[in-house]
Amino acid sequence: MRDFRDKKLRGERITSLTAYDYPTARLLDESGIDIILVGDSLGMVVLGYEDTTRVTLAEMVHHTKAVARAVKRALLVADLPIHTYDDPAQAVATARALIDAGAQAVKLEGGVSHVPQIEAIVAEGIAVMGHIGMLPQSVREEGGYKVKGRTQTEAGALVRDGQAVEKAGVFAVVLEIVNPEAARQITNALTIPTIGIGSGEHCDGQILVTHDLIGLFPWFTPKFVSPEARVADEIRKAVQIFIGRTRSGGS
Ligand code: KIV
């Protein structure tokens, strides 16, 4: 985990992408990504749920095991799903289940409000990644995926969230859909790296949902993503060729 702080000190950007299955994780690992996250975005881009609020620990464990079989060099982080870390004891038990499934660290959503959970997990010797800004597990209460830190008051609150999770012991913190100027303030206020998603260029690293990056979930792409491939189109093309070949009597 020290490596990531050192990277921040040296000004080296940290790269992170999500994976939920063996082949994707192996391709990311072989490509040299720094951190592979088994995100609870699993619920949306793999399991077909509307948001992340229905993802269970059993689902996270199942997919973490598949990813762990593939990862040889990247740091493997797994998300604590909603309502599996409502208090410190539950947070420790959930983190332990994900570590037993092969994760090397866990991530949880929340700032000042979740310091007791972070401290409890860290006290067990388990590395924790923080996640502040837009919190997808709260999307229903929030009424959508809205930019955080637009005003100086909101930016100040996010800086305090970042400082609280740093003090609680996280080794890095995800900033999700944070106004770029607020992300800059948080990044400058912390010694741990910030990993941005839709939060501009001032973060110490960037994370994306792999399906968004490679165009594998064509029904919805967040505004801040520029896909680098159109894998869904390739799949459709190959399937059409197979259908045509088979219907015309080929094999
Ligand atoms: O679940 C997830 O994939 C995440 C990233 C988007 C940061 O939390």
Side-chain angles (χ1 to χ4, degrees), residues 53 55 57 80-95 107-110 112-118 120-121 137-138 141:
T53 64
V55 176
L57 179 57
L80 271 60
I82 190 167
H83 294 317
T84 66
Y85 56 102
D86 290 341
D87 61 61
Q90 188 194 24
V92 168
T94 305
K107 175 166 82 58
L108 63 84
E109 295 183 9
V112 172
S113 59
H114 284 75
V115 162
Q117 283 90 329
I118 294 169
I121 300 170
Q137 291 174 10
S138 307
E141 295 90 309

Side-chain angles (χ1 to χ4, degrees), residues 18 20 37 39-41 79 107 109 131 174 176 197 207 209:
T18 61
Y20 321 95
L37 172 70
D40 61 357
S41 49
D79 263 343
K107 175 166 82 58
E109 295 183 9
H131 185 155
V174 168
E176 180 153 358
I197 173 163
I207 182 166
V209 169

